[in-house]
Amino acid sequence: MATPSTANRPTPERIFNALNAYQQTAALRTAIELDVFSAIGAGANTARAIAAKSGAQEKGVRILCDFMTILGFLGKEQGRYALTQESAIFLDRKSPACLASMAGFLGTEDARKNFDSLTQAVRKGGSVWSAGDNTKPNDEFWVAFAHSMAPLTVPSSEFIAGLLRAEEGKPARVLDIAAGHGMYGITVARKNPKAEIVALDWPNVLEVARENARKFGVADRYSVRAGSAFETEMGTGYDYVLLTNIFHHFDMTTCEKLMKRVHASLKPGGKAITLEFVPNEDRVTPPTAAAFSLIMLANTDAGDAYTFDEYEKMFRNAGFAKSALHPVPEMPQQVIVSEKST
C-alpha cells in the first residue's frame, strides 16, 4: 500500500487559523490606526522610521509590519517594507480610493460583540442583540456607518449611475431609501446635473448625507425625508428608487412590504435599483456574498442574504413583473433592476 504524502494529509492548520482569525482583524485595525500604510507610502520603510512617524516602539512596529507582510498587505526585503498594490490603493490615506475609514465601523468592539454570542444566535435563528430590529432607529450604529463606509461605495455607485445613464443628463427624480452617507444618490446627481435626489433615513443619519451633498456640490438638488422607510411618506412620481444594502436586514415578508411601497412611489416605467450581496442557489458561492448570511444572523433579528430567485419572487409579489441581475465589476455585490409596468 502506498503511503500518503504529507501534503495530502489533513492537518489542524485551517482550524488553528480560523480560531485565531480575530488577530488579523486586530492587527489590520492597529496598522490603520497607527497610519502605518501612509507612513510607508511617504517613504518611511524601516521599522525605526515607521515607529518615529507613528509614535510607537520600534519592536512593536517591526512585529506588526512583519505580520502585515505575512497577511499580504506589505512586502519586505532586506529589512525594508513596501506597500503592495492593494495597500497602496486602499490603505494609504493619500490615495483617493483609500478605505481606511472603514476601520471606524468594521472590526470595532461593537461590530464584534454580536459574534461573541453567535452560538445563541444560531440557536435562536437571529441576533441576540437588543437592537437587531432595523425597522427602528439606532443612531449611534448607523451614524458611525455613514461616517465610515462611504469610500467603499465608489465602484458600485459609479456602476449604478452608469446603469441609470446619468451622463445623458435627462431630468430625473431619484428616491434614495436608507441613504446613510448618501453617496449613491449623490453620485447620480454629480453625473447628472438635472437629477433631483430625495434621501430617506433617520434624522441624525441624514445629517451625514447632507454634509456629503454639500461637499460634492449637489446640495441645491438634494432634499431629505426623515423617518422609517416603512412608515414615512415617500412621495410619488419617481424615475428611480435606490435600495442599496437594505433588504438583507429583514425577512422576506418585510422586504415585500417595503417593495410594495417602492412600486407605488415610482411612475409608470420607473425602475427600482437594488444593490445587494446575492449568493448562488447553493448558498456557498461566491464566498463573500454567501458568507454575508452569517453577518446578518449575528446582527439582525430576521435578516439574510437572498438568492436572485428569492428576490424575483419578492419583487413579483410587490408588483414588478421582471427583474434583471447586473454584477458589479470587481465587487462582491450585484445590482437588480426592476421596472414598473407602463
Side-chain angles (χ1 to χ4, degrees):
M1 181 185 295
T3 303
S5 67
T6 304
N8 293 330
R9 292 177 184 170
T11 77
E13 186 173 5
R14 188 192 304 272
I15 298 168
F16 179 85
N17 288 339
L19 289 172
N20 282 324
Y22 67 92
Q23 297 172 8
Q24 298 181 30
T25 303
L28 180 57
R29 181 177 172 83
T30 296
I32 290 171
E33 288 178 348
L34 294 176
D35 230 0
V36 165
F37 302 103
S38 300
I40 296 173
N45 59 9
T46 66
R48 177 173 295 180
I50 298 166
K53 277 187 169 290
S54 66
Q57 291 296 312
E58 181 178 347
K59 174 186 175 182
V61 168
R62 186 258 301 166
I63 292 173
L64 177 64
C65 288
D66 285 348
F67 193 66
M68 289 293 99
T69 303
I70 293 166
L71 293 182
F73 292 112
L74 294 177
K76 184 180 182 182
E77 187 172 344
Q78 296 181 342
R80 296 184 180 276
Y81 299 98
L83 299 179
T84 62
Q85 185 177 21
E86 179 184 51
S87 296
I89 295 171
F90 299 119
L91 293 173
D92 185 344
R93 294 188 191 274
K94 290 186 175 63
S95 168
C98 182
L99 303 177
S101 65
M102 293 196 306
F105 183 75
L106 301 178
T108 63
E109 182 179 351
D110 286 342
R112 295 194 308 268
K113 65 183 179 182
N114 291 332
F115 278 87
D116 291 337
S117 303
L118 185 59
T119 301
Q120 296 95 307
V122 171
R123 287 174 174 152
K124 178 185 174 184
S127 179
V128 297
W129 185 29
S130 60
D133 179 1
N134 283 317
T135 63
K136 297 180 172 59
N138 183 354
D139 284 355
E140 182 178 356
F141 185 81
W142 290 118
V143 169
F145 173 90
H147 278 303
S148 302
M149 300 298 288
L152 188 62
T153 68
V154 173
S156 50
S157 61
E158 295 275 345
F159 182 75
I160 287 172
L163 284 178
L164 273 54
R165 298 182 178 178
E167 72 283 354
E168 294 181 1
K170 296 179 180 179
R173 294 187 69 235
V174 181
L175 174 63
D176 188 357
I177 293 180
H181 39 64
M183 291 309 300
Y184 293 102
I186 288 168
T187 301
V188 173
R190 286 176 52 228
K191 300 284 185 179
N192 181 358
K194 293 184 180 179
E196 296 182 1
I197 313 299
V198 178
L200 192 159
D201 212 317
W202 304 112
N204 288 342
V205 181
L206 285 173
E207 290 305 312
V208 182
R210 279 176 158 166
E211 178 184 329
N212 285 329
R214 290 190 291 269
K215 175 182 176 182
F216 288 98
V218 300
D220 60 327
R221 294 178 285 120
Y222 199 88
S223 61
V224 301
R225 290 176 182 254
S228 166
F230 297 92
E231 298 173 359
T232 301
E233 174 59 40
M234 293 181 174
T236 58
Y238 292 104
D239 296 279
Y240 304 104
V241 176
L242 307 181
L243 299 132
T244 54
N245 300 312
I246 183 171
F247 288 117
H248 55 239
H249 294 284
F250 309 108
D251 59 28
M252 293 178 69
T253 300
T254 305
C255 293
E256 286 183 17
K257 177 183 176 182
L258 176 56
M259 204 58 168
K260 286 177 182 177
R261 301 195 79 214
V262 170
H263 188 272
S265 73
L266 284 165
K267 71 180 186 181
K271 295 177 181 179
I273 310 296
T274 299
L275 176 71
E276 276 293 351
F277 294 91
V278 184
N280 295 330
E281 291 301 312
D282 62 13
R283 294 192 179 277
V284 293
T285 58
T288 301
F292 203 74
S293 289
L294 189 71
I295 297 175
M296 292 300 99
L297 178 67
N299 286 283
T300 69
D301 287 352
D304 205 342
Y306 298 108
T307 67
F308 181 57
D309 282 351
E310 288 173 321
Y311 277 116
E312 277 197 309
K313 180 181 178 181
M314 287 187 279
F315 295 173
R316 277 198 309 271
N317 290 344
F320 293 91
K322 186 178 180 181
S323 296
L325 192 63
H326 302 266
V328 181
E330 301 179 1
M331 291 292 286
Q333 294 178 290
Q334 301 195 59
V335 173
I336 304 171
V337 178
S338 310
E339 185 172 344
K340 181 175 180 177
S341 300
T342 56

